[in-house]
Amino acid sequence: MALYALDDVDDAYGVTRAFLTSIDRTTWLKLALIVFFVGGAGANFPGTGFSGGNGGTDPGAPPAEEFPTLDPGPDIWLLVGAVVLVLVILVLALLFVAAVMEFVFVESLRTEDVSIREYWGRYWRKGLRLFGFRLIVGLLFLAPFLVVMALFFAPVVLGAGGFAAPLAALFVLLPVVFVLAVVVGLVDSFTTNFVVPIMLLEDRAVLDGWRRLWPTIRAQWKQYLAYAVAAWILSLVGGVLIAVVAGILIAVLFVPFGILLAVGIGLLSVLEPVGIAWLVVTGLLFALAALVVALLVTVPVQTYLRYYALLVLGDVDAEFDVIPEQRAAVRSDVDEAA
């Protein structure tokens, strides 16, 4: 039995090349904007670590009892709550935009005509349903993770014992969380790459799309398993290519910005406020330019991966073929070359 996940590797390259070589710079920039959200609009909030002191005493420091006690007061907590609320709303808004952009991306690849405004107006309701589905799936994963963290930290915080019981609970439940993370990752990947095209093609909701997809997964699970493995490998290879190419281009980009930074450093000794402003503006412009370069480099990889998924989906079940014309064109070219 032929594995479509292997057969479609070359076809996806042919379809991607045909599409990207036919568009202009403006269209490429539009794709870069779409990829910004499709490639991951969720915010990452790194944890902040605090290390304690070494227990020594600073001879110049006043005694501990002389330090004033800081009482934030209700106004400070209200401000903190408002900031947290704004951040949550911002993250949810970005996730909603990312969900709508999934449909914009697929429709752009399907029609080979990139139009963000038109497709947004057409598919924002489906994007809202996808956003809700992703949110529920994310919360289902987050709940057991929080349970694990609570079991680990609660005994220590409450002073109920040492680390033995929390560590035992952690080792027992971590495999469960790991398996759940893999399942959630597969559900999210299949929803994005397979259910979204079905929703777009047959005008369905998320759960209806899953009901249409599920029988094909049960009947041809080997094809989908092969795709999951191949797509993971291709994503890793694509990530390395993006890092290398973007790194080289950003290094070249740093040459003119490095000159501007040197000018700013020189201004610091003459007019410090002007120098600081110069360095801040130059740094922001360089960060923006580096982001644009990285997104432009990411466009071919994301386009290839999405075309690859669409080709596999259409090969598994012809009723789900979103790109029949591109499929026929690339395979006719292969037959002629052979």
Side-chain angles (χ1 to χ4, degrees), residues 27 48 73 139 152 180 220 241 320:
T27 304
T48 304
L139 291 175
F152 179 73
L180 185 61
Q220 303 196 52
L241 289 175
F320 301 152

Side-chain angles (χ1 to χ4, degrees), residues 57 61 139 193 230 239:
T57 302
L139 291 175
N193 293 304

Side-chain angles (χ1 to χ4, degrees), residues 120-326:
W120 178 281
R122 188 183 304 175
Y123 295 114
W124 71 267
R125 292 178 181 83
K126 293 186 182 298
L128 182 61
R129 295 188 181 97
L130 178 62
F131 163 74
F133 179 82
R134 285 177 167 178
L135 195 61
I136 292 173
V137 171
L139 291 175
L140 290 176
F141 167 71
L142 187 62
F145 179 78
L146 292 177
V147 170
V148 171
M149 292 297 98
L151 289 174
F152 179 73
F153 287 109
V156 179
V157 173
L158 298 176
F163 285 94
L167 283 176
L170 187 65
F171 281 115
V172 170
L173 292 176
L174 268 183
V176 177
V177 175
F178 175 77
V179 172
L180 185 61
V182 173
V183 172
V184 169
L186 285 175
V187 170
D188 182 68
S189 176
F190 278 35
T191 301
T192 299
N193 293 304
F194 299 140
V195 175
V196 165
I198 293 174
M199 293 172 63
L200 185 148
L201 186 65
E202 299 184 352
D203 191 21
R204 294 179 179 270
V206 182
L207 294 181
D208 287 338
W210 263 108
R211 291 189 188 98
R212 287 284 286 142
L213 178 67
W214 185 247
T216 67
I217 294 179
R218 289 190 303 175
Q220 303 196 52
W221 62 270
K222 293 181 181 179
Q223 297 288 355
Y224 287 101
L225 178 61
Y227 164 80
V229 175
W232 180 72
I233 295 174
L234 291 171
S235 297
L236 288 180
V237 174
V240 172
L241 289 175
I242 291 172
V244 171
V245 176
I248 294 173
L249 294 177
I250 291 173
V252 173
L253 190 66
F254 185 76
V255 174
F257 279 98
I259 296 174
L260 294 175
L261 288 173
V263 172
I265 293 173
L267 287 173
L268 285 175
S269 59
V270 181
L271 295 171
E272 184 175 351
V274 176
I276 293 175
W278 183 283
L279 290 175
V280 170
V281 172
T282 302
L284 291 175
L285 290 176
F286 175 73
L288 179 60
L291 175 62
V292 172
V293 168
L295 288 174
L296 292 175
V297 173
T298 306
V299 165
V301 175
Q302 287 292 336
T303 302
Y304 171 86
L305 292 175
R306 192 56 58 94
Y307 267 133
Y308 175 65
L310 295 176
L311 287 169
V312 172
L313 179 63
D315 282 334
V316 172
D317 193 328
E319 293 183 3
F320 301 152
D321 192 1
V322 179
I323 50 171
E325 296 179 1
Q326 293 94 322

Side-chain angles (χ1 to χ4, degrees), residues 40-45 91 94-95:
N44 293 319
F45 298 99
V91 170
L94 290 174
L95 292 175

Side-chain angles (χ1 to χ4, degrees), residues 62-77:
E65 60 270 12
E66 295 183 9
F67 284 107
T69 302
L70 180 61
D71 183 13
D75 293 339
I76 297 298
W77 290 118

